[in-house]
Amino acid sequence: MKIQTANAKHGLGEPTLVELIREKIRRDGPVPFRWFMEQALYHPEYGYYSSGRATIGRRGDYFTNVSVGPLFGRIMAEQFRQMWEIMERPAAFTIVEQGAHDGEFARDVISTVRQTMTDFAGALRYAIVEPFRPLRARQTETLAQFEGVVSWCQSLDQLDPFSGVHFSNELFDALPVYLISHGSSAPDWQEKFVVEAEDGFGFADLPIRDAELHRAAAGVRVPSGTDYETEVNLAAPALVAAISRKLRHGFLLAVDYGYAREEFYSAMRNRGSMQCRIRHRVLRSPLVEIGRADITAHVEWTSLAMRGLASGLELAGFTDQHHFLTGMIAGPMRVQFQGRDELPEARALQMLLHPEFLGRSFLYLALSKGIDANARLSGFAFAKPAREQLGLIDA
């Protein structure tokens, strides 16, 4: 069994969590990377997210759309209002946010609705799915002024069926993934397991044990005779199916990094898409700074769309952030953004839109249930056909 070590000049991470992982390996043998990533991010006490250690913005570990200020929430509030109108203005419209972090996006959306959309404000309900106590405490503090509008539940299973929209911003890329690889001399897919090594932890390639992962790996088509490593995210499509079961009427709107399947598994991405960051520095391995660093893998959007279609949802749009926000600014928010170079938020808008900042980094996938097929969300006004982009023409 060949072991690949981390070879990085960083600490191993939170000592108690590191020891828990060591004990698991010593007791049960090599562990799937998916399990390792789950512990590093979501261990109830020591995980990066669950402990409340995760921070965003200039003083945190990474930037996201909310980091540039309230403009992103203001624009999305207009898109949510349009969803409500497409649904013929139901008396109750629920925004379910999963991955709400500090609650800043929810605050920006609700504030905008209350200040500028009095007709929509009466129908708005806001539900946050948050399993971790430190994050819920932050959200409760941020959203204290909206008592009676915002509610919480620990898991999607506990959420009541709803009409409205399930929204997430950088949720799917943080779900634990499997790592698989094959080499020019070993063309069959193998799974990468985490093992102990002299300087901490390492990777070992072993036969795939999980039947569902084996089926998923068999569907990954890459050039034969080449060394190739990539991720398989089985949790992301399963989450889409779970959301569909809770959604009575309305939309699923996901914002995240990623690629359609053909690009995700292209020959040029022969080392996958995993990113590990701490204080805006990129780590070369996920096997260091365990519990202290963010670990993400880009979303393979085609699988999410396919699971949504198989779960009774319809494809409502797919595009990048530049085109999505341009659709909003040129459409329902046109008057608000006239002379936008002089607006106080001009710099924030540039960061959200510009291809070299966030404009091309994020992609938007919208799925719907019970929505008129002729209805079109303004965010996708300039989008190319979604099925074509996702490679679902013949699906």
Short mmCIF file of all heavy atoms in Angstrom, two decimals, residues 5-8 10 201 203 274 276 282-289 293 295:
data_model
loop_
_atom_site.label_atom_id
_atom_site.label_comp_id
_atom_site.label_asym_id
_atom_site.label_seq_id
_atom_site.Cartn_x
_atom_site.Cartn_y
_atom_site.Cartn_z
N THR A 5 2.09 11.30 1.62
CA THR A 5 2.00 12.15 2.81
C THR A 5 1.73 13.59 2.43
O THR A 5 1.89 14.00 1.28
CB THR A 5 3.30 12.07 3.63
OG1 THR A 5 4.40 12.47 2.80
CG2 THR A 5 3.53 10.65 4.13
N ALA A 6 1.34 14.37 3.44
CA ALA A 6 0.94 15.75 3.19
C ALA A 6 2.13 16.62 2.79
O ALA A 6 2.02 17.49 1.94
CB ALA A 6 0.26 16.33 4.43
N ASN A 7 3.28 16.41 3.44
CA ASN A 7 4.49 17.18 3.09
C ASN A 7 4.27 18.69 3.14
O ASN A 7 4.65 19.39 2.23
CB ASN A 7 4.94 16.81 1.68
CG ASN A 7 6.20 15.98 1.70
OD1 ASN A 7 6.83 15.85 2.74
ND2 ASN A 7 6.55 15.43 0.57
N ALA A 8 3.64 19.16 4.16
CA ALA A 8 3.34 20.60 4.24
C ALA A 8 3.84 21.14 5.58
O ALA A 8 3.76 20.46 6.60
CB ALA A 8 1.84 20.85 4.09
N HIS A 10 2.87 22.94 8.08
CA HIS A 10 1.78 23.50 8.87
C HIS A 10 1.52 22.58 10.04
O HIS A 10 1.91 21.40 10.03
CB HIS A 10 0.51 23.63 8.02
CG HIS A 10 0.60 24.64 6.94
ND1 HIS A 10 0.35 25.98 7.15
CD2 HIS A 10 0.92 24.52 5.63
CE1 HIS A 10 0.52 26.64 6.01
NE2 HIS A 10 0.86 25.79 5.07
N PHE A 201 -0.67 12.51 8.77
CA PHE A 201 -1.59 11.69 8.00
C PHE A 201 -1.16 11.66 6.54
O PHE A 201 -0.43 12.54 6.08
CB PHE A 201 -3.03 12.24 8.09
CG PHE A 201 -3.58 12.22 9.49
CD1 PHE A 201 -3.63 13.39 10.25
CD2 PHE A 201 -4.04 11.04 10.05
CE1 PHE A 201 -4.14 13.38 11.53
CE2 PHE A 201 -4.55 11.01 11.34
CZ PHE A 201 -4.59 12.18 12.09
N PHE A 203 -2.39 9.74 2.38
CA PHE A 203 -3.40 9.10 1.55
C PHE A 203 -2.92 7.73 1.10
O PHE A 203 -1.74 7.55 0.79
CB PHE A 203 -3.70 9.94 0.31
CG PHE A 203 -4.55 11.15 0.57
CD1 PHE A 203 -4.07 12.43 0.32
CD2 PHE A 203 -5.85 11.01 1.05
CE1 PHE A 203 -4.85 13.55 0.54
CE2 PHE A 203 -6.64 12.12 1.29
CZ PHE A 203 -6.14 13.40 1.03
N MET A 274 -10.44 20.46 -5.25
CA MET A 274 -10.46 20.73 -3.81
C MET A 274 -9.63 21.96 -3.47
O MET A 274 -8.55 22.18 -4.02
CB MET A 274 -9.95 19.53 -3.04
CG MET A 274 -10.03 19.70 -1.53
SD MET A 274 -9.77 18.16 -0.68
CE MET A 274 -11.24 17.28 -1.19
N CYS A 276 -8.35 24.27 0.07
CA CYS A 276 -8.22 24.37 1.52
C CYS A 276 -7.64 25.74 1.83
O CYS A 276 -6.58 26.10 1.31
CB CYS A 276 -7.30 23.26 2.05
SG CYS A 276 -7.77 21.62 1.50
N VAL A 282 -3.84 29.56 0.76
CA VAL A 282 -4.21 28.25 0.24
C VAL A 282 -3.26 27.21 0.81
O VAL A 282 -2.03 27.35 0.73
CB VAL A 282 -4.14 28.25 -1.31
CG1 VAL A 282 -4.43 26.84 -1.84
CG2 VAL A 282 -5.12 29.26 -1.89
N LEU A 283 -3.82 26.16 1.39
CA LEU A 283 -3.03 25.04 1.88
C LEU A 283 -2.88 24.00 0.77
O LEU A 283 -3.79 23.79 -0.03
CB LEU A 283 -3.71 24.40 3.09
CG LEU A 283 -3.94 25.31 4.30
CD1 LEU A 283 -4.68 24.55 5.40
CD2 LEU A 283 -2.63 25.86 4.83
N ARG A 284 -1.76 23.34 0.74
CA ARG A 284 -1.51 22.36 -0.32
C ARG A 284 -2.14 21.01 -0.03
O ARG A 284 -2.16 20.14 -0.89
CB ARG A 284 0.00 22.21 -0.53
CG ARG A 284 0.70 23.53 -0.83
CD ARG A 284 2.18 23.37 -1.02
NE ARG A 284 2.51 22.99 -2.38
CZ ARG A 284 3.75 22.79 -2.80
NH1 ARG A 284 4.76 22.89 -1.96
NH2 ARG A 284 3.97 22.47 -4.05
N SER A 285 -2.63 20.81 1.19
CA SER A 285 -3.21 19.53 1.56
C SER A 285 -4.33 19.74 2.56
O SER A 285 -4.25 20.62 3.42
CB SER A 285 -2.13 18.63 2.19
OG SER A 285 -2.73 17.47 2.76
N PRO A 286 -5.38 18.91 2.49
CA PRO A 286 -6.44 18.98 3.50
C PRO A 286 -6.07 18.25 4.79
O PRO A 286 -6.85 18.25 5.75
CB PRO A 286 -7.61 18.28 2.80
CG PRO A 286 -6.95 17.28 1.91
CD PRO A 286 -5.68 17.95 1.42
N LEU A 287 -4.89 17.63 4.82
CA LEU A 287 -4.50 16.80 5.96
C LEU A 287 -3.72 17.59 7.01
O LEU A 287 -3.11 17.00 7.91
CB LEU A 287 -3.66 15.61 5.47
CG LEU A 287 -4.34 14.72 4.42
CD1 LEU A 287 -3.43 13.57 4.03
CD2 LEU A 287 -5.69 14.22 4.92
N VAL A 288 -3.73 18.92 6.91
CA VAL A 288 -3.09 19.77 7.90
C VAL A 288 -4.10 20.82 8.37
O VAL A 288 -5.13 21.03 7.72
CB VAL A 288 -1.83 20.46 7.34
CG1 VAL A 288 -0.76 19.43 6.99
CG2 VAL A 288 -2.17 21.32 6.12
N GLU A 289 -3.81 21.46 9.49
CA GLU A 289 -4.70 22.47 10.07
C GLU A 289 -6.13 21.91 10.20
O GLU A 289 -7.12 22.60 9.93
CB GLU A 289 -4.70 23.75 9.24
CG GLU A 289 -3.34 24.42 9.11
CD GLU A 289 -2.81 24.99 10.42
OE1 GLU A 289 -3.52 24.93 11.44
OE2 GLU A 289 -1.67 25.50 10.42
N ALA A 293 -9.05 24.91 9.23
CA ALA A 293 -9.07 25.40 7.85
C ALA A 293 -10.35 24.97 7.14
O ALA A 293 -10.96 23.95 7.48
CB ALA A 293 -7.85 24.88 7.09
N ILE A 295 -12.33 23.44 3.99
CA ILE A 295 -12.10 22.47 2.92
C ILE A 295 -13.34 22.48 2.03
O ILE A 295 -14.46 22.28 2.52
CB ILE A 295 -11.89 21.04 3.46
CG1 ILE A 295 -10.79 21.01 4.51
CG2 ILE A 295 -11.56 20.08 2.31
CD1 ILE A 295 -10.66 19.65 5.20
#
